[in-house]
Amino acid sequence: MNLIPDPWWLPALLAGALLFDAVASIRPPMFIRDCLDGVRFPRDWWWTLIVIKTLAVAGLIVGMWVPGVGLAANVGVVVYFLCACAAHIRARFLRQSFWINCLGMLVLALVSLTGAFLL
């Protein structure tokens, strides 16, 4: 197990995708609004997702130099998207946003975790 990511670019790619997602969530486009409404996530709590994703980005970046931080952040991102998948399944909201966005980000997080930290 690596405490510093090797290769570094896998968690950097994940951090970039999460940063894009967090910035897009500030003024969410229709597909993000539809997704969050579809899983019945309360609008009053949407801001928490921006905070969570921003903290994950910070953890992934800091973790490139501080042992264990990137690993912890990457595990947190995997858990976040597992919870998102569970919310989609529970709400029976299995549209394109589930298959492409939610599962796609989960796969990216798992690839980063296994490729940079576990192999």
Side-chain angles (χ1 to χ4, degrees):
M1 178 183 311
N2 301 326
L3 294 180
I4 298 288
D6 182 29
W8 63 269
W9 57 268
L10 282 171
L13 179 66
L14 178 59
L18 285 169
L19 181 61
F20 177 81
D21 193 7
V23 169
S25 296
I26 293 170
R27 293 188 62 140
M30 183 63 79
F31 77 93
I32 291 177
R33 291 193 308 264
D34 289 346
C35 177
L36 295 174
D37 286 337
V39 297
R40 297 186 287 277
F41 192 72
R43 286 186 178 231
D44 290 348
W45 285 87
W46 284 12
W47 65 271
T48 62
L49 302 179
I50 298 166
V51 172
I52 291 166
K53 292 170 188 173
T54 303
L55 289 171
V57 169
L60 289 164
I61 292 170
V62 168
M64 291 184 198
W65 296 279
V66 180
V69 173
L71 174 62
N74 206 140
V75 168
V77 174
V78 169
V79 171
Y80 173 87
F81 282 106
L82 285 172
C83 291
C85 288
H88 276 265
I89 293 167
R90 182 172 175 262
R92 294 189 174 104
F93 190 75
L94 303 176
R95 296 185 183 164
Q96 179 178 345
S97 61
F98 171 70
W99 296 103
I100 295 175
N101 303 347
C102 191
L103 286 179
M105 288 298 290
L106 177 59
V107 167
L108 179 58
L110 286 168
V111 167
S112 174
L113 179 64
T114 55
F117 295 102
L118 300 180
L119 292 179

